[in-house]
Amino acid sequence: ECMLQSVGLEPSYVIWMQGENETNGRTTQAAYTASLNTIIGLIRNSGITAPILINIETWLNGVIWTPVQNAQKSVVGTNNVIQGANIDSLNNSYRYDGTHLNANGAIAATNLLADIIASSTPPWKSDLDGTWVAQEGSVLSNGRVLIDNLNNELAKRIVKDHNDTLH
């Protein structure tokens, strides 16, 4: 049982956002796939059955790494794993240091994820207050409102964290 479940919370989704360092280290597709499958197994063995969204994320200072992108795509379709957002599609204007997302990048990434979540099987649960955000047929509009509210909070936190780091 994971910590969330021990306090009565069940994740609606697990979102995997990682892969930039593998571009620098030139990790092979086979090695990344094996590691990612291990992580997926750990998540499932902890009792979490929620869909896992695997983002395409390898951008490091403007360089992407196709073997890791391919690994991130290769695990989709089994064990309730679905393709997440293509974070590599966000150029340097969305990054504060050439790699990590700035506030606009975080909002863009969240919007990409919102589109994927909105198109997945409804209904889905709000982590804000525990109520059902969407019923069948209304996921996009209600889900988008939730995501827009989360984006505002996320942007505020990223700007604050970035400013705190600089000072």
Side-chain angles (χ1 to χ4, degrees):
E1 181 177 71
C2 77
M3 189 179 296
L4 287 173
Q5 293 166 319
S6 70
V7 294
L9 298 174
E10 187 67 36
S12 299
Y13 292 89
V14 175
I15 300 172
W16 180 257
M17 296 183 73
Q18 191 278 336
E20 304 92 330
N21 194 53
E22 281 63 30
T23 298
N24 194 39
R26 299 297 191 204
T27 301
T28 66
Q29 180 177 342
Y32 194 89
T33 300
S35 295
L36 194 49
N37 279 322
T38 297
I39 290 167
I40 292 167
L42 290 170
I43 292 168
R44 294 298 180 228
N45 289 337
S46 74
I48 296 173
T49 59
I52 301 172
L53 285 83
I54 304 293
N55 289 336
I56 303 301
E57 187 161 2
T58 68
W59 184 290
L60 179 71
N61 297 316
V63 175
I64 59 172
W65 188 233
T66 304
V68 170
Q69 288 179 327
N70 290 339
Q72 291 165 334
K73 293 173 187 174
S74 74
V75 297
V76 170
T78 61
N79 212 357
N80 201 17
V81 176
I82 59 178
Q83 189 66 68
N86 183 354
I87 306 302
D88 284 351
S89 69
L90 303 176
N91 65 31
N92 269 333
S93 68
Y94 292 99
R95 299 165 189 275
Y96 67 86
D97 62 356
T99 299
H100 300 98
L101 299 174
N102 58 27
N104 289 332
I107 290 169
T110 306
N111 284 329
L112 291 171
L113 284 164
D115 291 340
I116 293 163
I117 291 170
S119 67
S120 68
T121 306
W124 55 285
K125 218 173 189 181
S126 165
D127 290 335
L128 295 179
D129 62 9
T131 61
W132 293 106
V133 171
Q135 299 301 319
E136 193 165 344
S138 64
V139 174
L140 185 58
S141 60
N142 290 339
R144 184 56 77 183
V145 169
L146 172 67
I147 294 300
D148 288 343
N149 290 336
L150 289 174
N151 275 341
N152 289 335
E153 277 306 307
L154 182 60
K156 288 178 197 171
R157 288 180 192 164
I158 287 173
V159 169
K160 181 188 179 310
D161 290 347
H162 182 63
N163 287 338
D164 289 348
T165 302
L166 295 177
H167 298 294

mmCIF file of all heavy atoms in Angstrom, residues 61-83:
data_model
loop_
_atom_site.group_PDB
_atom_site.id
_atom_site.type_symbol
_atom_site.label_atom_id
_atom_site.label_comp_id
_atom_site.label_asym_id
_atom_site.label_seq_id
_atom_site.Cartn_x
_atom_site.Cartn_y
_atom_site.Cartn_z
ATOM 1 N N ASN A 61 19.040 21.207 -22.875
ATOM 2 C CA ASN A 61 19.715 22.309 -23.572
ATOM 3 C C ASN A 61 19.497 22.267 -25.083
ATOM 4 O O ASN A 61 20.421 22.458 -25.861
ATOM 5 C CB ASN A 61 21.209 22.324 -23.237
ATOM 6 C CG ASN A 61 21.437 22.564 -21.765
ATOM 7 O OD1 ASN A 61 20.798 23.430 -21.161
ATOM 8 N ND2 ASN A 61 22.310 21.781 -21.165
ATOM 9 N N GLY A 62 18.266 21.982 -25.484
ATOM 10 C CA GLY A 62 17.905 21.981 -26.900
ATOM 11 C C GLY A 62 18.171 20.688 -27.633
ATOM 12 O O GLY A 62 17.891 20.577 -28.824
ATOM 13 N N VAL A 63 18.715 19.692 -26.941
ATOM 14 C CA VAL A 63 19.008 18.396 -27.559
ATOM 15 C C VAL A 63 17.988 17.387 -27.041
ATOM 16 O O VAL A 63 17.698 17.349 -25.844
ATOM 17 C CB VAL A 63 20.433 17.922 -27.202
ATOM 18 C CG1 VAL A 63 20.712 16.530 -27.745
ATOM 19 C CG2 VAL A 63 21.461 18.932 -27.704
ATOM 20 N N ILE A 64 17.441 16.570 -27.948
ATOM 21 C CA ILE A 64 16.548 15.486 -27.540
ATOM 22 C C ILE A 64 17.248 14.156 -27.810
ATOM 23 O O ILE A 64 18.188 14.092 -28.607
ATOM 24 C CB ILE A 64 15.179 15.556 -28.255
ATOM 25 C CG1 ILE A 64 15.349 15.489 -29.774
ATOM 26 C CG2 ILE A 64 14.416 16.800 -27.852
ATOM 27 C CD1 ILE A 64 14.061 15.350 -30.524
ATOM 28 N N TRP A 65 16.800 13.111 -27.138
ATOM 29 C CA TRP A 65 17.463 11.821 -27.244
ATOM 30 C C TRP A 65 16.436 10.776 -27.672
ATOM 31 O O TRP A 65 15.627 10.295 -26.870
ATOM 32 C CB TRP A 65 18.132 11.471 -25.925
ATOM 33 C CG TRP A 65 19.007 10.276 -25.940
ATOM 34 C CD1 TRP A 65 18.936 9.206 -25.087
ATOM 35 C CD2 TRP A 65 20.086 9.981 -26.834
ATOM 36 N NE1 TRP A 65 19.906 8.283 -25.400
ATOM 37 C CE2 TRP A 65 20.635 8.740 -26.478
ATOM 38 C CE3 TRP A 65 20.649 10.658 -27.913
ATOM 39 C CZ2 TRP A 65 21.704 8.155 -27.145
ATOM 40 C CZ3 TRP A 65 21.713 10.082 -28.583
ATOM 41 C CH2 TRP A 65 22.227 8.844 -28.193
ATOM 42 N N THR A 66 16.477 10.419 -28.956
ATOM 43 C CA THR A 66 15.504 9.512 -29.560
ATOM 44 C C THR A 66 15.437 8.148 -28.873
ATOM 45 O O THR A 66 14.336 7.609 -28.689
ATOM 46 C CB THR A 66 15.773 9.364 -31.070
ATOM 47 O OG1 THR A 66 15.752 10.673 -31.652
ATOM 48 C CG2 THR A 66 14.729 8.512 -31.740
ATOM 49 N N PRO A 67 16.554 7.529 -28.480
ATOM 50 C CA PRO A 67 16.434 6.232 -27.804
ATOM 51 C C PRO A 67 15.563 6.278 -26.538
ATOM 52 O O PRO A 67 14.783 5.356 -26.292
ATOM 53 C CB PRO A 67 17.881 5.867 -27.473
ATOM 54 C CG PRO A 67 18.683 6.549 -28.541
ATOM 55 C CD PRO A 67 17.970 7.860 -28.750
ATOM 56 N N VAL A 68 15.658 7.342 -25.766
ATOM 57 C CA VAL A 68 14.833 7.440 -24.561
ATOM 58 C C VAL A 68 13.393 7.775 -24.940
ATOM 59 O O VAL A 68 12.453 7.252 -24.340
ATOM 60 C CB VAL A 68 15.434 8.444 -23.553
ATOM 61 C CG1 VAL A 68 14.460 8.735 -22.417
ATOM 62 C CG2 VAL A 68 16.741 7.895 -22.987
ATOM 63 N N GLN A 69 13.202 8.625 -25.953
ATOM 64 C CA GLN A 69 11.836 8.876 -26.433
ATOM 65 C C GLN A 69 11.178 7.554 -26.849
ATOM 66 O O GLN A 69 10.021 7.297 -26.514
ATOM 67 C CB GLN A 69 11.835 9.830 -27.629
ATOM 68 C CG GLN A 69 12.156 11.262 -27.291
ATOM 69 C CD GLN A 69 12.159 12.135 -28.543
ATOM 70 O OE1 GLN A 69 12.507 11.698 -29.642
ATOM 71 N NE2 GLN A 69 11.765 13.383 -28.359
ATOM 72 N N ASN A 70 11.914 6.747 -27.591
ATOM 73 C CA ASN A 70 11.383 5.447 -28.025
ATOM 74 C C ASN A 70 11.075 4.539 -26.834
ATOM 75 O O ASN A 70 10.081 3.815 -26.837
ATOM 76 C CB ASN A 70 12.346 4.760 -28.991
ATOM 77 C CG ASN A 70 12.410 5.465 -30.328
ATOM 78 O OD1 ASN A 70 11.509 6.210 -30.703
ATOM 79 N ND2 ASN A 70 13.497 5.251 -31.047
ATOM 80 N N ALA A 71 11.914 4.585 -25.819
ATOM 81 C CA ALA A 71 11.667 3.794 -24.610
ATOM 82 C C ALA A 71 10.403 4.286 -23.909
ATOM 83 O O ALA A 71 9.580 3.479 -23.456
ATOM 84 C CB ALA A 71 12.870 3.876 -23.665
ATOM 85 N N GLN A 72 10.239 5.598 -23.839
ATOM 86 C CA GLN A 72 9.056 6.160 -23.192
ATOM 87 C C GLN A 72 7.784 5.758 -23.947
ATOM 88 O O GLN A 72 6.738 5.546 -23.332
ATOM 89 C CB GLN A 72 9.188 7.677 -23.080
ATOM 90 C CG GLN A 72 10.268 8.076 -22.080
ATOM 91 C CD GLN A 72 10.696 9.533 -22.177
ATOM 92 O OE1 GLN A 72 10.586 10.174 -23.217
ATOM 93 N NE2 GLN A 72 11.214 10.050 -21.072
ATOM 94 N N LYS A 73 7.876 5.635 -25.256
ATOM 95 C CA LYS A 73 6.728 5.204 -26.062
ATOM 96 C C LYS A 73 6.504 3.699 -25.975
ATOM 97 O O LYS A 73 5.373 3.225 -26.083
ATOM 98 C CB LYS A 73 6.947 5.597 -27.528
ATOM 99 C CG LYS A 73 6.952 7.086 -27.769
ATOM 100 C CD LYS A 73 7.339 7.393 -29.212
ATOM 101 C CE LYS A 73 7.523 8.877 -29.427
ATOM 102 N NZ LYS A 73 8.024 9.182 -30.783
ATOM 103 N N SER A 74 7.572 2.940 -25.754
ATOM 104 C CA SER A 74 7.480 1.474 -25.828
ATOM 105 C C SER A 74 6.678 0.848 -24.695
ATOM 106 O O SER A 74 6.188 -0.272 -24.841
ATOM 107 C CB SER A 74 8.881 0.855 -25.881
ATOM 108 O OG SER A 74 9.502 0.922 -24.605
ATOM 109 N N VAL A 75 6.549 1.534 -23.576
ATOM 110 C CA VAL A 75 5.834 0.947 -22.436
ATOM 111 C C VAL A 75 4.332 1.244 -22.478
ATOM 112 O O VAL A 75 3.569 0.733 -21.657
ATOM 113 C CB VAL A 75 6.425 1.430 -21.089
ATOM 114 C CG1 VAL A 75 7.871 0.968 -20.947
ATOM 115 C CG2 VAL A 75 6.300 2.936 -20.935
ATOM 116 N N VAL A 76 3.915 2.064 -23.419
ATOM 117 C CA VAL A 76 2.514 2.463 -23.540
ATOM 118 C C VAL A 76 1.687 1.292 -24.063
ATOM 119 O O VAL A 76 2.128 0.560 -24.945
ATOM 120 C CB VAL A 76 2.389 3.688 -24.467
ATOM 121 C CG1 VAL A 76 0.941 3.996 -24.808
ATOM 122 C CG2 VAL A 76 3.070 4.897 -23.841
ATOM 123 N N GLY A 77 0.491 1.143 -23.520
ATOM 124 C CA GLY A 77 -0.429 0.135 -24.024
ATOM 125 C C GLY A 77 -0.529 -1.116 -23.172
ATOM 126 O O GLY A 77 -1.365 -1.967 -23.418
ATOM 127 N N THR A 78 0.327 -1.235 -22.195
ATOM 128 C CA THR A 78 0.250 -2.373 -21.292
ATOM 129 C C THR A 78 0.153 -1.865 -19.862
ATOM 130 O O THR A 78 0.606 -0.754 -19.552
ATOM 131 C CB THR A 78 1.499 -3.280 -21.412
ATOM 132 O OG1 THR A 78 2.654 -2.516 -21.065
ATOM 133 C CG2 THR A 78 1.655 -3.829 -22.818
ATOM 134 N N ASN A 79 -0.442 -2.672 -18.995
ATOM 135 C CA ASN A 79 -0.464 -2.377 -17.561
ATOM 136 C C ASN A 79 -1.096 -1.008 -17.250
ATOM 137 O O ASN A 79 -0.675 -0.328 -16.327
ATOM 138 C CB ASN A 79 0.960 -2.472 -17.006
ATOM 139 C CG ASN A 79 0.972 -2.946 -15.572
ATOM 140 O OD1 ASN A 79 -0.069 -3.157 -14.963
ATOM 141 N ND2 ASN A 79 2.160 -3.112 -15.036
ATOM 142 N N ASN A 80 -2.089 -0.609 -18.068
ATOM 143 C CA ASN A 80 -2.789 0.671 -17.898
ATOM 144 C C ASN A 80 -1.829 1.858 -17.980
ATOM 145 O O ASN A 80 -1.937 2.826 -17.228
ATOM 146 C CB ASN A 80 -3.590 0.695 -16.594
ATOM 147 C CG ASN A 80 -4.703 1.722 -16.608
ATOM 148 O OD1 ASN A 80 -5.108 2.225 -17.655
ATOM 149 N ND2 ASN A 80 -5.209 2.035 -15.434
ATOM 150 N N VAL A 81 -0.874 1.780 -18.895
ATOM 151 C CA VAL A 81 0.076 2.869 -19.154
ATOM 152 C C VAL A 81 -0.344 3.539 -20.451
ATOM 153 O O VAL A 81 -0.544 2.865 -21.466
ATOM 154 C CB VAL A 81 1.523 2.343 -19.265
ATOM 155 C CG1 VAL A 81 2.482 3.459 -19.629
ATOM 156 C CG2 VAL A 81 1.936 1.677 -17.956
ATOM 157 N N ILE A 82 -0.509 4.860 -20.396
ATOM 158 C CA ILE A 82 -0.903 5.610 -21.582
ATOM 159 C C ILE A 82 0.126 6.688 -21.899
ATOM 160 O O ILE A 82 0.902 7.095 -21.037
ATOM 161 C CB ILE A 82 -2.320 6.212 -21.440
ATOM 162 C CG1 ILE A 82 -2.412 7.146 -20.240
ATOM 163 C CG2 ILE A 82 -3.367 5.129 -21.330
ATOM 164 C CD1 ILE A 82 -3.777 7.807 -20.079
ATOM 165 N N GLN A 83 0.121 7.116 -23.153
ATOM 166 C CA GLN A 83 1.075 8.142 -23.579
ATOM 167 C C GLN A 83 0.708 9.468 -22.949
ATOM 168 O O GLN A 83 -0.425 9.914 -23.035
ATOM 169 C CB GLN A 83 1.067 8.283 -25.105
ATOM 170 C CG GLN A 83 2.169 9.165 -25.635
ATOM 171 C CD GLN A 83 3.529 8.552 -25.382
ATOM 172 O OE1 GLN A 83 3.866 7.544 -25.969
ATOM 173 N NE2 GLN A 83 4.288 9.153 -24.494
#
